[in-house]
Amino acid sequence: MAQLCQLKEIDLSGNTWNRSISQILDSCSGCLSDSLQLLRLTDSQIYGHLTYKIGQFKTLISLDLSNNSISGPIPASLGNLSSLRDVSLVYNHISETLPESLGQLVNLERLEIYKNQIEGIVSEAHFANTTSLRFFRASDNPLTLKVGQDWVPPFQLELFDMGSCHLGPKFPMWVRSQKSLSVLVLSNTSLADVLPPWVFNFSSELFYFDLSQNQMHGRIPNLTNMGTQEYSAVDLSQNHFEGPLPLVSSKVYKLDLSDNLLSGSISQFLCSSPSEPMNMAALDLAKNRLSGKLPNCWSKWKNIQVLYLNYNSFGGVIPSSFGSLIFLQSLHLRSNNLSGILSLSVLQNYINLVTLDLSGNKFGGNVPTWLGTSPSMLRFLSAGFNEFHGHIPDELCALNSLQILDLSNNNLSDPIPKCFNNFSIMAIKRAESLGFWYDVSRGSNAPYVEAALFLIKGKPIEYNKTLELVNIIDLSGNSLSGHIPLEITNLSNLLSLNLPDNLLDGEIPVKIGNMRELESIDFSKNKLSGEIPQSMSSLNFLSYLNLSYNNLSGKIPTGTQLQSFNSSSFVGNKLCGPPLTPNCSTNGEVTVVEKNRKEDDHEMSWFYIGMAVGFIVGFWGVCGSLIFNRTWRHSYFRFLDCIKDQLYVASVLKLRWFRETITSCYNNQ
């Protein structure tokens, strides 16, 4: 027992305790209060409030309760642990405000409280005597940092992260005093200011700077002094920066300037860089206003692995020096004005290429056959909205890792290759994730997550973190002919099959029900005929269907799936049955003729009824009067006798007096 009282470290991480933190602290109190230096209970399913009892452990140096379900406030008694150096309470449900007593922890070196629900204001008092503080991470909390613009902190930080807290609108001037800062994360902090010119010069140690998702404006200073570290990264994306691209140091490893208002040519940025090769592995200039031709200066940037130039106004052809990017894994050129033919000599060296996005340009010629041989690791091929013509080459079928094939809205013709069933990733449901990100990061940087935009379920959707789960074929808006190949139904893990606006004929493959993961089918505006296969009704995940404007006929297969769609999914065919209003006969034909016959019979019945009523009314209108009115009856028979006599006379004499005689008889009555 005496030995237990001398314990200095308790590390029970990863054990399923399923107990409250209060119970655990009670069991550790007593003799351990004067000896315990380390308490680590990460990933242990601990819950409840972290009570004042934590203040009993006077000798505690390190406290790690991360990845649990601890709730309630951080107790003020934590500030009484004068020996405390390391505190990690991340990924819990801690709430309320941060106690000012933490400012008395003179030995505190690391405070990590990110991913909680701590709110309120963090002021200068919270850091009053924290002279030893080196690492402070409080991101993803509804906290507000409120200090004076002239505040000089008592510490020299190495890492400061308050991403998704509130710091703005002014850029924090106290940062300039931090000469040892290596990581500075101020993303999504409501900053709306001009970037001060000293921001990339204040610390020679700075290698990761994240200012994304703010409203910063003005020009970006040159980054030539940034990156004394080998793996420096700068993220200024999703702001309002304008003007030309800044010059960068050869040491910068990752640069993200996407989604700003940057304009002008890219030539100076690429060609005026230092003479030594660039260390850049990830360059993102997407969603700006950059224009002009792509210069032929890419040979110094051969270390690039991820390149985003999409959503700009670049024109001309791809320069020959593009072929020097031999480590390229992800290339995004979507929505520019690039043209020409994709040259084998330029792109054949991309043996590591995983993503190739060429959509929304003016590339022409045939779809390159070398795509099926050189980039054997290709998983995402998008070349929609271009000017490619000819057929889809069978060589593409060699891309057995392909997950996304988008050749939509070109001038392609001829049948769909039967060898599409070679896309094995689309055919096999994976037991584990392949990952769709690129490890271009170093140090504390996160991996570069791939992103892509394509049409699914009738509307454009952008995927990023879940892109690895997406399998799509989109061949819409071409002039493809022939049948939908039966072999395509082997792609049982396909998510979306988009084939509208083509010249496809024949029947829908009868085994389409084998594509069990399908969520979206669009075969509209083709020349498909025959019936809808019964197996289609077994596609349980199907949430979008468009078979409109074909020559399909017969009864829509019954089942909860197909009947749940709107009638617009089936219009322009000769189909019947729910959800369409026409019913079907026993042989599956629309019963419109039978319905019309019933309507005609209905009208004839009313005609005969009306005629009978008219006869009765007319008959009794005359005969009834003669029967019940004696005077009218005598007059009527005298009139008939007169007519009889005059007819006899008219037959003997002249017939021209006939009308006069009739009139005379009538007047005498």
Side-chain angles (χ1 to χ4, degrees):
M1 189 68 172
Q3 292 179 344
L4 290 176
C5 289
Q6 299 302 316
L7 279 177
K8 293 184 177 182
E9 297 184 0
I10 295 179
D11 187 351
L12 300 173
S13 301
N15 292 284
T16 308
W17 282 82
N18 197 25
R19 298 174 65 185
S20 72
I21 183 63
S22 180
Q23 291 174 321
I24 294 174
L25 292 179
D26 285 341
S27 62
C28 293
S29 61
C31 60
L32 285 178
S33 299
D34 297 323
S35 63
L36 191 63
Q37 296 181 2
L38 182 145
L39 178 60
R40 183 176 293 128
L41 301 170
T42 62
D43 297 295
S44 300
Q45 297 186 15
I46 296 172
Y47 59 89
H49 289 194
L50 181 61
T51 66
Y52 69 93
K53 296 177 183 179
I54 191 67
Q56 299 175 4
F57 302 93
K58 303 295 184 181
T59 57
L60 196 63
I61 295 176
S62 180
L63 175 65
D64 190 349
L65 303 176
S66 57
N67 292 287
N68 284 292
S69 299
I70 298 172
S71 56
I74 296 175
S77 61
L78 196 65
N80 299 329
L81 305 180
S82 58
S83 300
L84 201 59
R85 296 178 188 173
D86 191 349
V87 177
S88 181
L89 303 173
V90 304
Y91 286 99
N92 277 286
H93 306 296
I94 297 172
S95 58
E96 299 188 29
T97 59
L98 202 64
E100 290 186 358
S101 60
L102 295 179
Q104 305 306 314
L105 297 175
V106 294
N107 292 308
L108 186 65
E109 297 178 1
R110 183 187 302 268
L111 177 59
E112 295 184 333
I113 54 174
Y114 61 91
K115 294 289 184 180
N116 279 285
Q117 293 135 31
I118 306 171
E119 57 188 7
I121 294 175
V122 178
S123 65
E124 298 175 13
H126 289 87
F127 304 104
N129 295 309
T130 56
T131 55
S132 301
L133 192 62
R134 298 291 179 265
F135 303 91
F136 180 71
R137 300 186 68 183
S139 58
D140 296 297
N141 283 289
L143 285 168
T144 298
L145 179 63
K146 192 173 183 179
V147 296
Q149 280 293 95
D150 299 328
W151 179 55
V152 179
F155 47 69
Q156 282 292 320
L157 291 174
E158 295 179 21
L159 183 150
F160 180 77
D161 180 2
M162 285 196 74
S164 297
C165 297
H166 184 81
L167 275 70
K170 293 293 184 179
F171 190 86
M173 300 301 290
W174 61 265
V175 170
R176 192 174 187 179
S177 66
Q178 304 300 296
K179 304 303 182 182
S180 301
L181 198 62
S182 58
V183 176
L184 178 59
V185 179
L186 303 175
S187 60
N188 191 27
T189 51
S190 306
L191 294 174
D193 198 1
V194 176
L195 204 58
W198 51 263
V199 73
F200 296 109
N201 301 325
F202 71 93
S203 174
S204 60
E205 303 297 322
L206 187 66
F207 76 90
Y208 185 69
F209 181 40
D210 186 354
L211 194 59
S212 62
Q213 301 179 61
N214 284 291
Q215 293 83 45
M216 299 294 291
H217 53 275
R219 293 196 172 194
I220 301 173
N222 287 333
L223 310 179
T224 50
N225 293 326
M226 172 76 181
T228 56
Q229 300 282 339
E230 186 178 0
Y231 301 113
S232 299
V234 179
D235 189 348
L236 304 179
S237 62
Q238 299 183 54
N239 278 282
H240 300 152
F241 290 117
E242 55 190 7
L245 294 172
L247 300 181
V248 298
S249 165
S250 61
K251 299 295 185 181
V252 174
Y253 193 80
K254 173 184 173 183
L255 179 62
D256 191 347
L257 304 178
S258 63
D259 205 356
N260 278 286
L261 305 174
L262 301 172
S263 59
S265 172
I266 195 177
S267 297
Q268 186 177 12
F269 172 81
L270 286 176
C271 307
S272 299
S273 299
S275 56
E276 65 267 21
M278 302 297 291
N279 195 42
M280 190 82 68
L283 176 60
D284 193 341
L285 303 177
K287 298 180 182 179
N288 278 288
R289 300 175 179 177
L290 301 170
S291 58
K293 294 182 178 180
L294 296 178
N296 204 16
C297 301
W298 293 92
S299 56
K300 289 189 301 183
W301 300 76
K302 62 180 181 179
N303 290 317
I304 286 183
Q305 300 173 39
V306 175
L307 180 59
Y308 278 78
L309 300 176
N310 44 315
Y311 298 105
N312 281 286
S313 298
F314 295 119
V317 299
I318 295 179
S320 59
S321 61
F322 238 60
S324 62
L325 306 180
I326 57 176
F327 299 110
L328 199 62
Q329 299 180 53
S330 177
L331 176 60
H332 291 258
L333 302 174
R334 177 186 290 261
S335 295
N336 282 285
N337 293 314
L338 298 168
S339 58
I341 297 175
L342 296 179
S343 172
L344 173 61
S345 61
V346 174
L347 303 178
Q348 67 176 342
N349 295 325
Y350 293 172
I351 58 174
N352 299 310
L353 196 63
V354 175
T355 298
L356 179 59
D357 189 352
L358 308 171
S359 294
N361 284 284
K362 298 177 182 178
F363 293 115
N366 295 322
V367 177
T369 57
W370 55 263
L371 283 173
T373 55
S374 295
S376 57
M377 299 173 63
L378 200 65
R379 292 172 60 189
F380 173 24
L381 173 58
S382 180
F385 291 92
N386 278 285
E387 298 175 2
F388 292 111
H389 55 76
H391 66 283
I392 300 175
D394 289 347
E395 285 80 359
L396 292 186
C397 298
L399 300 171
N400 53 18
S401 296
L402 201 64
Q403 286 183 237
I404 297 167
L405 175 61
D406 181 2
L407 300 175
S408 62
N409 294 281
N410 282 281
N411 299 313
L412 300 174
S413 57
D414 296 341
I416 300 172
K418 295 182 179 180
C419 58
F420 272 15
N421 60 328
N422 290 341
F423 299 146
S424 56
I425 295 297
M426 300 183 186
I428 302 172
K429 192 172 181 64
R430 301 189 300 275
E432 59 182 16
S433 170
L434 294 176
F436 218 139
W437 49 270
Y438 307 103
D439 190 14
V440 299
S441 57
R442 295 294 185 272
S444 62
N445 301 341
Y448 211 95
V449 180
E450 185 64 276
L453 176 73
F454 32 78
L455 189 70
I456 185 171
K457 300 182 182 181
K459 58 184 179 181
I461 298 178
E462 184 171 18
Y463 288 84
N464 41 53
K465 294 181 180 179
T466 58
L467 184 59
E468 61 179 297
L469 305 175
V470 176
N471 297 297
I472 290 175
I473 292 179
D474 190 350
L475 306 178
S476 60
N478 285 286
S479 299
L480 299 171
S481 58
H483 297 2
I484 299 174
L486 178 63
E487 290 79 3
I488 207 169
T489 60
N490 291 328
L491 306 180
S492 58
N493 202 37
L494 196 67
L495 180 72
S496 175
L497 182 57
N498 240 26
L499 304 176
D501 294 290
N502 280 287
L503 304 174
L504 299 171
D505 55 22
E507 298 182 350
I508 297 174
V510 67
K511 295 184 179 180
I512 195 170
N514 293 344
M515 307 174 78
R516 296 180 296 274
E517 302 296 322
L518 272 177
E519 295 181 12
S520 176
I521 295 177
D522 193 343
F523 295 162
S524 63
K525 298 178 183 178
N526 279 285
K527 299 180 179 180
L528 300 174
S529 58
E531 297 183 351
I532 299 175
Q534 180 65 41
S535 66
M536 187 177 283
S537 63
S538 64
L539 298 175
N540 296 326
F541 298 110
L542 195 63
S543 58
Y544 180 83
L545 176 65
N546 193 349
L547 303 178
S548 62
Y549 301 104
N550 281 282
N551 297 318
L552 299 170
S553 59
K555 183 180 180 181
I556 298 174
T558 55
T560 56
Q561 202 62 28
L562 298 185
Q563 274 63 48
S564 65
F565 294 108
N566 192 281
S567 59
S568 60
S569 298
F570 306 97
V571 298
N573 290 284
K574 301 175 183 177
L575 296 167
C576 59
L580 299 177
T581 51
N583 294 318
C584 297
S585 61
T586 55
N587 60 359
E589 295 179 351
V590 182
T591 58
V592 175
V593 175
E594 183 177 331
K595 180 180 179 181
N596 290 339
R597 184 182 300 118
K598 289 181 178 180
E599 291 177 355
D600 291 341
D601 292 343
H602 185 66
E603 293 176 0
M604 289 300 294
S605 299
W606 279 106
F607 171 77
Y608 291 128
I609 292 173
M611 187 173 65
V613 172
F615 173 80
I616 293 171
V617 172
F619 177 83
W620 285 106
V622 176
C623 298
S625 300
L626 296 177
I627 293 173
F628 297 105
N629 193 315
R630 182 177 181 182
T631 303
W632 286 14
R633 184 169 63 250
H634 289 170
S635 297
Y636 176 73
F637 286 110
R638 283 199 302 271
F639 174 78
L640 292 178
D641 289 338
C642 179
I643 290 296
K644 180 186 68 173
D645 294 338
Q646 293 301 324
L647 286 174
Y648 175 77
V649 173
S651 63
V652 177
L653 301 175
K654 295 180 179 180
L655 295 176
R656 58 194 175 101
W657 301 106
F658 177 73
R659 181 174 297 177
E660 295 178 0
T661 303
I662 294 296
T663 303
S664 176
C665 291
Y666 178 79
N667 293 333
N668 291 333
Q669 298 304 315

